[in-house]
Amino acid sequence: MTALFWILLGLAVFAFLLAVQMRMIISVALRRALAAHFGGLPTDTPYRLAVVEAAAPAPASEAARHLADTYPNPLSHLRLARRACLIAPLLILLVLAAGRLVLGVI
């Protein structure tokens, strides 16, 4: 049972780290695409806000609408990574609690 605990814990931590990496890489790629299309630097605040806003059901700014129209697949991956970043820490805590209370591993 301890091997199962460590495998589950490793998978949960891996999922969390993968989701964080996906969020960073996709965000940088989308900001670079906005900078190439509209001009400026990828680190400009309007581009950062546009990436955040593009995940909303109805984006309001021109940059966010451009992202939603041009890059729907990366935006769906970004939404998935955001959900995984919220769920994975809870899953890690549940696995740790189960290991402590049920299995007596920790």
Side-chain angles (χ1 to χ4, degrees):
M1 288 303 268
T2 59
L4 178 64
F5 166 76
W6 290 111
I7 290 171
L8 288 176
L9 184 62
L11 287 174
V13 170
F14 176 75
F16 178 68
L17 294 176
L18 182 64
V20 169
Q21 178 187 12
M22 281 177 57
R23 286 183 71 174
M24 291 188 316
I25 289 174
I26 293 171
S27 175
V28 168
L30 291 176
R31 284 187 282 128
R32 286 182 180 172
L34 286 175
H37 186 266
F38 292 107
L41 296 174
T43 56
D44 290 346
T45 305
Y47 298 149
R48 290 179 181 267
L49 294 175
V51 170
V52 172
E53 182 187 352
S61 70
E62 180 184 353
R65 282 193 306 272
H66 172 71
L67 285 179
D69 295 338
T70 311
Y71 304 103
N73 287 338
L75 286 176
S76 67
H77 292 307
L78 185 61
R79 287 184 200 106
L80 175 66
R82 287 177 179 165
R83 276 184 261 140
C85 281
L86 293 174
I87 294 171
L90 179 61
L91 182 62
I92 292 170
L93 288 175
L94 288 175
V95 169
L96 286 173
R100 173 76 173 157
L101 299 174
V102 177
L103 302 174
V105 175
I106 301 175

